[in-house]
Amino acid sequence: MTDGIEAGADVLTGGLIARALERPGAAGGVSHDHAEDHACLNCGTTLIGSHCHACGQAAHVHRTAGAILHDIAHGVFHFEGKAWHTLPMLVTRPGELTRRYVDGERARFVSPLALFLFTVFLMFAIVANLPGWSFGDADFLKSGITGGMAEARAKVTEERVRSEGEVRELRQSLAKERGKPDPETDRLARLERRLKVAEKARSDLADAERLLPVPATFDVAGAPPASEDNWLEDKFRHAKENPKLLLYKLKTSAYKYSWALIPLSIPFLWLLFPFSRRFGVYDHAVFTTYSLTFISLLTIVLALLNAIGVASWIVIVAALIVPPFHIYRQMKGAYRLGRIGALVRTTILVGLIVSAIVPAFALLLLYFGLA
């Protein structure tokens, strides 16, 4: 029951925020029980029509409970009617939508940021409450990761001990060679180089050993104790004690900081058109925001298909094929590229998304989850 209420609140909030962003100057609609005012109630400008020509607010303002319900329904479902022009183009002609919006055709379409915020709210509200999209009791933090940390620390300790033995042997060999009446210069140089490398490896392994968290149930003979000010160990211990809290933090961080994907993506888009005077940061921002909006909508659709029993392989194939194809279509239309140019840039961008953008965002979420 609580999850359902929370989901409804998320959708409602997303719609109202999107509406506020989409019409920053309008704060009301037509009401039949108020006479036309002589001055705008928002900015004080003398009215010459049904809307203020200075700030855009309607001359008539709501003051009834029914008007509040109308605003809510309007904000969530209508977006002033623009969503029904924007969404079909976002799916079928994303490149044309992006280019037309960048070129100044704004009144017909929902702004990228408003639509993005609404779809993100909608995605988290729906997906988080579907079966198969949760971590259950998060027991994986209590055993799997602990075992992995223990195994990693044991391996590092083993390598450190081996490295210390190698350092001792090299020092003995070097001392023996130097003690000869006529030592070989080349052999001395080789031994000194090997000793330097071995000492560096021993130092690096000792540093890694100190940084790795030590699970409470694991003990390694000869392993140095973890540092008392080890931030990672402290946060991991708290996460293990309350894994559900960690997952909740990760979810809310993804929900709150999803907008960070936009500034994270823009520099990589710029790299596809370096020093181009035709396309600026604004073009890349609109492209990124509309593209992320489509991905959010696709996630909703795939989650619903999975929930109603569609074969998992179909959902996985669609998740792998549809996003690159959509990026290609949008790239080709938004930047007026030929097929080869769009295909090459799409390939590069998909590689950057997988190798840089998504990992950077995941690290951001992990930081806020552990912080």
Side-chain angles (χ1 to χ4, degrees), residues 9-82:
D10 288 343
V11 176
L12 180 60
T13 304
L16 295 178
I17 290 179
R19 186 180 184 224
L21 285 174
E22 184 60 26
R23 297 191 61 202
V30 177
S31 174
H32 299 292
D33 57 356
H34 284 74
E36 182 175 354
D37 297 306
H38 296 291
C40 174
L41 297 177
N42 183 57
C43 67
T45 303
T46 301
L47 296 170
I48 57 175
S50 61
H51 288 74
C52 176
H53 62 278
C55 70
Q57 176 167 288
H60 300 283
V61 293
H62 299 310
R63 295 191 67 177
T64 65
I68 294 176
L69 297 177
H70 174 270
D71 270 352
I72 292 174
H74 206 54
V76 173
F77 297 109
H78 290 89
F79 282 96
E80 302 300 332
K82 296 179 182 180

Side-chain angles (χ1 to χ4, degrees), residues 259-281:
W259 56 266
L261 284 167
I262 300 172
L264 282 175
S265 303
I266 290 175
F268 296 99
L269 268 173
W270 179 86
L271 289 175
L272 301 179
F273 304 91
F275 310 110
S276 173
R277 295 185 178 181
R278 291 192 302 157
F279 311 117
V281 173

Side-chain angles (χ1 to χ4, degrees), residues 200-215:
K200 179 66 167 58
R202 182 188 63 177
S203 176
D204 291 343
L205 287 168
D207 290 340
E209 197 174 19
R210 281 191 293 270
L211 288 173
L212 279 172
V214 181

Side-chain angles (χ1 to χ4, degrees), residues 94-124:
E96 181 182 344
L97 170 65
T98 304
R99 178 45 45 195
R100 287 171 65 176
Y101 191 89
V102 169
D103 286 343
E105 195 172 334
R106 312 286 169 81
R108 182 183 295 270
F109 306 115
V110 180
S111 72
L113 186 58
L115 193 59
F116 171 70
L117 288 175
F118 178 72
T119 54
V120 167
F121 276 108
L122 188 66
M123 179 181 69
F124 278 94

